[in-house]
Amino acid sequence: MDQELAFAAHEKPFRYDEDGLHVTRGSAWSGPGCHLGCGVLMYVDDDGKLVKVEGDPENPYNQGRLCARCLATPNAVNSPLRIRKPMIRDGKRGEDKWKEISWDEAFDLVEEKFNYYKENYGAESVTFWEGTGRDISAWISRLAWSFGSPNMGPSLNGLACYGPRVYGCFVLSGSFWVGDYSQQFVDRYDNPEWKCPEVIMVWGNNPIVANSDGALGHWVVDCMQRGSKLIVVDPKITWLASRADVVIQLRPGTDAALAMAMANVMIEEGLYDREFVDYWVYGFEEYAQAVSEFTPEKAAEICWVEPEVIRQAARMYAAADGGLIQWGVALDQKEEAIPTCQAVAALMMLTGNVDNPGGMIKPPELLMYLNGWGMELLSQEQWAKRLGVEKYSFYASGGVTVASAEVMVEAMETGEPYPLKAAWIQTTNLLTCMGVDPDRTKRAFENLEFIVMVDPFKNPTMIALADLVLPACMYPERNGIRCGDGCQRAETINRAIDPGDTKSDMEINLELGRRFNPEAWPWETVEEMFSSILEETGMTFEEAQQNAPGYLPYEYYKYKKGMLRPDGQLGFNTPTGRLELYSNIMANMGLDPLPTFVEPTPGPVTTPELYEEFPLVLTTGARRWNTFHAENRENPRLRRIHPEPTVQVHPDTAAELGLCEGEWVWLEGPKGMSGEVGRCKRVVEITPAIRPDVVSTDHAWWHPEGDPEKLYDMPELNVNKLMAWGAGPSGIGANYKSLLCRIRKMTEE
Ligand SMILES: Nc1nc2c(c(=O)[nH]1)N[C@H]1C(S)=C(S)[C@@H](COP(=O)(O)OP(=O)(O)OC[C@H]3O[C@@H](n4cnc5c(=O)[nH]c(N)nc54)[C@H](O)[C@@H]3O)O[C@H]1N2
Ligand SMILES: Nc1nc2c(c(=O)[nH]1)N[C@H]1C(S)=C(S)[C@@H](COP(=O)(O)OP(=O)(O)OC[C@H]3O[C@@H](n4cnc5c(=O)[nH]c(N)nc54)[C@H](O)[C@@H]3O)O[C@H]1N2
Ligand code: SF4
Ligand SMILES: [Mo]
């Protein structure tokens, strides 16, 4: 056994009876969607019906807490919108006409069609699409690559979620870093090696609502109760910002300028950690030169904030023994995402907040699926066909292993560099939510001959595009494991109720994988497959079910112990062995090795004439308590918390425009520099929490109660219609969060 796990103490086995109900302990991941997988107790009655879900107090991760979406799991599982059997289209795309078929027929059809395209057009003509943070990342990559296609990836422009932060960090430091809230220890806050962060800087993230990328929002509050001070960087006064010590309410899209100005203060005032920088950081001189022009005064003008608040934040963060940056997707969702993430990551490096207690850590993982599972299954020749490598340096370098959504869609349109014939869509509602310019995406996908969708629910993308639908089951209906995504622990997802005729994503992919490439899928059952992944812990899946969560051993300061580099040398896994403020990898890729700030386009500065016509800066998609992207709209318990898509407007702006709370309006904006204008419907929500010159709106809206053949109203509710096609220059980052718009009253039509 290589990795001995530490377990949380459980009083009871993972299945027991209580007050006439049958209880199963497990992890809530997924569907419905979420990034985390909190510990849950699922209560089932004698009829086999899931009646309630509660937080597991014995699970160190969430310690009994549970948010609204998990509490409403029984409604989701029992929803009338669930698909219960495989269905094949019995009409034209766009119609809601289907015929139920058996699983055997469905698998035979996928096998026959995909193999036909492989033989006639090459395996790369079949594309594989995934969504965010659900349970399937590892398995979808294995399915695509074992089939022989390198064309697998998220249907997200510019990989503008997590990707920029991860790749930005990897090129600078050889690793990705997450905030240290003690989540790596079974005894959590009581662990003697852990130190409570003195300062938590929440940047473009709303952890209380989003619980994103492995971090539970409650942990921020737990740390505040133990003394952490808070800095919040957000155009909106969020729940946390209203309790913060310093708030920087900046203009969306200007984060890089702010980060460089903070570095400027730290360097000018000698507040950075000189000793750490001398030993462990490369490129300080060049970097200091690059930030020298970003005085707080200059950045304040760019970011629309006061210079003093920048100084305050820089001093507070630099002085902290344990400075944690809780960064979020707002940093990824701009075309210049990589330089932005570089600029923020540089603050960690300047202050030595890397690999340290209460700072940023690198948790070990049992199944590292970020780059996919099974890269060795494809030959060099097959990898070379991956769409994206010709166009983008990050893809060519091998740092990014998925295919580019933009390039795949362009290939569907043009047939170049080779024809695409089919799509496997699993865990993404891509027209409603994930990509920009959904009309263009829809037209491109319509060129494909065969589209399969795997999802628990009906949705607009399915009605518009799918030819075959496979019903996925949800977490209380299946077995599974969770042991990647920086989550540190080995969790099991445990079946509590009968899945009926639905199957788990893992069962579906294992069955198809075995048909396409039996050597790559040597397991009879999914449980056998999970046991083989858990092998290094010396535990079978069945043993893990009883004992999970299990915690891997953890050490701080790995760079001082030769634990970060494959050659066992001290330092970091970069070309220089140091953290690189000046990135040699970026320079080799022909990209700027130093962070830069680039004004968003269109924007108030780059396109003043468009700003006159569209005088509000627009940010989109801030997460809501009750929804996970396009999910949960059909769940009555959740829908009533926020029943329609709103646009948040400051009271002064609302007064100026004559808008009333609750009024339906058109939100209109330029689609990049194309000359076209996109629009969607919104309800006015007046709030002093937003800046008067900025508005913020929800994304991913549709009406499950609406007409399926009008795609459930999605086309008139989708804010991504206001966005330009494309990605940042490196292929990473896209503009979801810094746009221009105007609000027009419906009566003005
Ligand atoms: N305007 C705007 N657009 C955005 C964003 C924004 O901030 N603003 N954010 C972007 C980001 S960061 C992301 S990650 C994307 C997310 O985009 P997506 O990941 O496409 O999110 P959803 O639209 O919710 O689609 C998820 C689908 O997966 C299904 N599902 C849930 N769980 C499971 C499961 O276990 N198995 C299977 N097979 N299916 C499951 C759901 O029912 C749903 O239909 O959206 C992006 N879109
Ligand atoms: N309930 C719920 N939870 C979710 C999701 C969901 O849909 N619903 N989606 C999941 C996914 S895929 C992701 S990626 C994460 C994302 O989770 P977060 O990273 O928290 O993302 P957001 O809520 O989109 O934005 C965070 C904050 O950034 C602010 N912001 C907007 N524009 C800017 C900007 O330009 N700069 C700065 N500094 N701040 C800005 C917003 O006002 C918001 O308060 O959440 C995950 N968790
Ligand atoms: S963060 Fe909320 S929705 Fe996600 S698993 Fe935990 S309780 Fe469930
Ligand atoms: Mo995301």
Side-chain angles (χ1 to χ4, degrees), residues 35 161 205-206 210 234-235 252-253 255 329 619 623-624 627 629 737:
H35 287 172
C161 170
N205 184 236
N206 192 1
D234 198 301
D255 300 270
V329 83
T619 173
R623 296 347 184 201
R624 293 279 182 175
T627 52
H629 299 291
K737 287 212 197 306

Side-chain angles (χ1 to χ4, degrees), residues 27-29 32-40 53 55 61-62 64-71 73 207-212 215-218 475 482 489 625 628 632:
S27 167
W29 198 55
C34 182
H35 287 172
L36 296 196
C38 292
V40 285
V53 173
Y61 190 79
N62 55 315
R65 288 109 161 211
L66 220 52
C67 62
R69 288 175 297 127
C70 260
L71 291 170
T73 306
I208 298 291
V209 175
N211 299 303
S212 52
L216 189 72
H218 281 282
Y475 76 83
R482 188 194 158 90
R489 67 209 193 280
W625 304 99
F628 194 79
N632 320 104

Side-chain angles (χ1 to χ4, degrees), residues 190-317:
D190 295 332
N191 187 284
E193 285 184 48
W194 181 69
K195 180 178 184 312
C196 185
E198 281 185 6
V199 169
I200 298 177
M201 184 146 66
V202 179
W203 199 320
N205 184 236
N206 192 1
I208 298 291
V209 175
N211 299 303
S212 52
D213 316 319
L216 189 72
H218 281 282
W219 301 341
V220 178
V221 180
D222 291 345
C223 288
M224 287 167 76
Q225 286 168 342
R226 287 164 174 78
S228 300
K229 290 203 166 64
L230 204 63
I231 302 170
V232 175
V233 183
D234 198 301
K236 210 189 286 185
I237 305 293
T238 57
W239 188 91
L240 276 177
S242 72
R243 288 145 177 91
D245 299 270
V246 177
V247 180
I248 306 186
Q249 210 179 348
L250 83 179
R251 162 162 71 102
T254 60
D255 300 270
L258 176 67
M260 288 196 282
M262 285 180 64
N264 176 299
V265 174
M266 290 182 204
I267 294 169
E268 286 294 313
E269 299 186 8
L271 307 174
Y272 67 98
D273 186 336
R274 268 169 208 271
E275 197 183 318
F276 182 83
V277 169
D278 281 351
Y279 274 104
W280 302 110
V281 176
Y282 172 84
F284 178 77
E285 294 303 326
E286 293 90 334
Y287 171 78
Q289 179 63 32
V291 300
S292 63
E293 62 170 302
F294 284 91
T295 60
E297 279 67 26
K298 176 170 168 173
E301 215 170 283
I302 295 170
C303 305
W304 298 353
V305 299
E306 293 301 318
E308 207 38 46
V309 83
I310 302 177
R311 289 200 172 85
Q312 239 182 315
R315 289 171 190 153
M316 188 188 275
Y317 174 72

